[in-house]
């Protein structure tokens, strides 16, 4: 008995075992699933655009507020161990809220030879949390909502990229080289200048 050739198809393929049956319901379900995927993708795209636009407007407003606030500032003194450095606190709502807690002592740790950071025991008003960015300049004094801490950046502006947003609230105005002499952990006290 002579066997028919199946032209490279696996056994049983000649008889139609691997072909999809002609089923209109199945085709309709596939078409519906494709349409639902397109609607879902469009919905995700719209939500992402709206959220991105809102974030951009909030950041833009915060940057404008921070830029304006850099012109109106309050002189501060920062005591670190036995040393004292000078700085300014910007005229933003967040900076004013933090200033209301002065003198403010924060236990800070050195991180990567670029910043001292430490947690705070209060939560600023959400409406004051504007102007966040993922970069810093040497001397920046910041608040980070994601980590609920304050930081003083003193080095490595050439690598200013951060993994979370920080909100500038002020700036150290005296020589930053003194930060190299501090211990790995210091109590940093922020107070109004006399």
């Amino acid at each position: 008995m002579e066997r028919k050739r199946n032209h490279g198809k696996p056994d049983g393929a000649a008889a139609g075992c691997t072909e999809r049956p002609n089923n209109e319901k199945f085709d309709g379900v596939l078409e519906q699933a494709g349409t639902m995927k397109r609607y879902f993708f469009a919905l995700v795209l719209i939500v992402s655009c709206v959220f991105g636009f809102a974030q951009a407007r909030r950041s833009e407003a915060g940057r404008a507020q921070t830029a304006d606030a850099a012109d109106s500032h309050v002189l501060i003194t920062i005591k670190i161990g036995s040393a004292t450095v000078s700085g300014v606190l910007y005229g933003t709502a967040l900076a004013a809220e933090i200033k209301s807690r002065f003198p403010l002592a924060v236990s800070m740790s050195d991180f990567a030879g670029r910043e001292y950071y430490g947690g705070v025991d209060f939560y600023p008003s959400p409406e004051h949390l504007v102007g966040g960015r993922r970069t810093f300049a040497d001397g920046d004094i910041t608040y980070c909502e994601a980590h609920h801490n304050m930081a003083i950046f003193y080095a490595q502006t050439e690598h200013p990229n951060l993994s979370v947003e920080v909100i500038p609230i002020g700036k150290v105005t005296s020589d930053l080289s003194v930060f190299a002499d501090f211990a790995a952990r210091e109590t940093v006290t922020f107070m109004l200048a006399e």
Side-chain angles (χ1 to χ4, degrees):
M1 186 162 159
E2 192 174 305
R3 208 170 165 186
K4 288 187 178 181
R5 297 191 73 145
N6 64 9
H7 302 289
K9 294 181 182 176
D11 288 329
C17 293
T18 60
E19 294 178 13
R20 192 174 59 114
N22 185 8
N23 185 337
E24 289 178 16
K25 280 186 178 179
F26 183 74
D27 289 340
V29 168
L30 284 179
E31 188 176 311
Q32 250 185 341
T35 301
M36 289 177 71
K37 282 182 186 177
R38 285 190 295 274
Y39 284 137
F40 180 74
F41 178 74
L43 179 64
V44 167
L45 186 61
I46 290 168
V47 168
S48 297
C49 287
V50 168
F51 180 74
F53 180 72
Q55 281 290 96
R57 286 189 55 117
R58 193 174 109 194
S59 290
E60 190 177 295
R63 277 192 295 278
Q65 181 186 22
T66 300
D68 291 342
D71 293 333
S72 65
H73 55 267
V74 174
L75 298 177
I76 61 171
T77 299
I78 305 162
K79 189 171 183 334
I80 306 168
S82 61
T84 301
V85 295
S86 299
V88 295
L89 202 61
Y90 298 146
T92 64
L94 177 60
E97 184 176 349
I98 291 173
K99 180 181 78 173
S100 72
R101 298 177 175 280
F102 282 10
L104 175 63
V106 181
S107 178
M108 293 186 151
S109 299
D110 184 53
F111 177 74
R114 74 171 189 195
E115 70 185 86
Y116 273 87
Y117 73 96
V120 293
D121 62 356
F122 58 89
Y123 289 90
S125 299
E127 63 270 13
H128 297 163
L129 301 176
V130 295
R133 60 186 188 199
R134 291 178 184 253
T135 60
F136 67 91
D138 289 347
D140 277 352
I141 302 169
T142 64
Y143 175 76
C144 174
E145 176 64 12
H147 293 162
H148 189 57
N149 67 21
M150 289 176 60
I152 300 173
F153 292 90
Y154 64 89
Q156 298 183 19
T157 298
E158 66 275 8
H159 304 291
N161 299 323
L162 302 170
S163 60
V164 295
E165 286 190 351
V166 295
I167 303 169
I169 59 169
K171 190 162 194 77
V172 174
T173 56
S174 56
D175 184 15
L176 296 172
S177 66
V178 298
F179 282 86
D181 299 329
F182 298 142
R185 189 170 196 71
E186 294 278 3
T187 297
V188 178
T189 305
F190 299 86
M191 61 191 92
L192 293 174
E194 294 179 359

